Amino acid sequence: MNVLLDNLPLFREGFIGTLSLTAASALIALVLGVVIAGCRVSPIPPLRWFGAAWVTLLRNTPLVLLFVVAFFILPKVLFPGMSPYVLAVLALSFYTSSFVCEAVRSGINTVAVGQAEAARSLGMTFTQTLSLIVLPQATRTVIAPMSSIMIALTKNSAIAGAFSNAELFGTQKDLSDMGYNILFVFFWIAVAFLIITFSISGLFRLLERKLGVAR
């Protein structure tokens, strides 16, 4: 217990850092994932090709490599002087968006084709059909897989600690250097991660109950 109490500010900084990285990355990944999913089911071939390339490239690239690109290549080519926090959020959100896209696309595929055909017969555009008819129905089926994706994002945020970001897993190095028992340090880090992941899981279970359809 002394490990936690004696270093509460350090643990608090790491906890808030992990929360911030997770929340910001999740928000961007959700928006990007839905947009890319829309591209993947679009009637316009170039958009479908772009969506497929996005998912294939990012899902099959190790996250550590994306961090290396974000921190050592992106600032030199496009955005010099960008903060480590923003670069970490970009790497996490782009990577996670590919998984969000596939979850959303699988949900879209569960909606009967007749729904979209009926909407088109009423004169609705593809964007209107997707946003007003298809996505609201698909949302119910993607909540469960989305929970797993967000929990994975929380754990993936630990990589940001190796790239000049304050987060939970990165506190273990500081505490180890101070001579604390590594087992007790990892115990409290694990507890903190469990608090975050259980909260995410509880939130999505609540959403599932709210949006669920009685069968």
Side-chain angles (χ1 to χ4, degrees), residues 14 36-37 53 55-56 61 65 82 84 100 116 136 148-149 157 199 205 208:
I36 300 300
V55 171
T56 302
T61 301
L65 180 57
M82 189 173 287
V100 171
S148 299
I149 292 170
S157 68
S199 299
R205 278 200 301 270
E208 200 167 8

Side-chain angles (χ1 to χ4, degrees), residues 39 41-49:
C39 291
V41 298
S42 170
I44 304 173
L47 289 180
R48 291 201 303 272
W49 300 335

Side-chain angles (χ1 to χ4, degrees), residues 36 40 48-67 69 91 93-99 101-102:
I36 300 300
R40 294 217 64 184
R48 291 201 303 272
W49 300 335
F50 171 75
W54 179 282
V55 171
T56 302
L57 178 64
L58 291 174
R59 285 186 70 183
N60 293 289
T61 301
L63 182 54
V64 174
L65 180 57
L66 288 181
F67 267 88
V69 171
S93 58
F94 277 38
Y95 179 76
T96 307
S97 70
S98 63
F99 294 91
C101 168
E102 289 303 273

Side-chain angles (χ1 to χ4, degrees), residues 3 7 172-182 184-185:
V3 176
N7 300 279
Q172 59 84 22
K173 184 180 183 304
D174 295 329
L175 294 175
S176 297
D177 292 341
M178 293 164 63
Y180 286 99
N181 189 314
I182 193 66
F184 293 112
V185 172

Side-chain angles (χ1 to χ4, degrees), residues 52-190:
W54 179 282
V55 171
T56 302
L57 178 64
L58 291 174
R59 285 186 70 183
N60 293 289
T61 301
L63 182 54
V64 174
L65 180 57
L66 288 181
F67 267 88
V68 170
V69 171
F71 275 80
F72 299 110
I73 298 178
L74 198 61
K76 294 181 180 180
V77 177
L78 295 176
F79 306 110
M82 189 173 287
S83 72
Y85 174 80
V86 174
L87 292 172
V89 167
L90 287 177
L92 287 168
S93 58
F94 277 38
Y95 179 76
T96 307
S97 70
S98 63
F99 294 91
V100 171
C101 168
E102 289 303 273
V104 173
R105 188 170 71 94
S106 67
I108 290 173
N109 289 336
T110 64
V111 179
V113 177
Q115 299 272 346
E117 292 176 347
R120 284 197 296 270
S121 69
L122 294 174
M124 297 178 70
T125 64
F126 170 76
T127 303
Q128 290 173 327
T129 302
L130 189 65
S131 59
L132 299 177
I133 305 298
V134 178
L135 282 179
Q137 297 180 72
T139 299
R140 299 187 180 99
T141 63
V142 303
I143 291 176
M146 204 66 72
S147 174
S148 299
I149 292 170
M150 293 302 117
I151 289 173
L153 170 60
T154 304
K155 293 182 285 187
N156 287 338
S157 68
I159 298 176
F163 294 87
S164 305
N165 279 276
E167 52 80 39
L168 273 171
F169 195 77
T171 60
Q172 59 84 22
K173 184 180 183 304
D174 295 329
L175 294 175
S176 297
D177 292 341
M178 293 164 63
Y180 286 99
N181 189 314
I182 193 66
L183 292 178
F184 293 112
V185 172
F186 275 121
F187 171 79
W188 288 113
I189 290 174

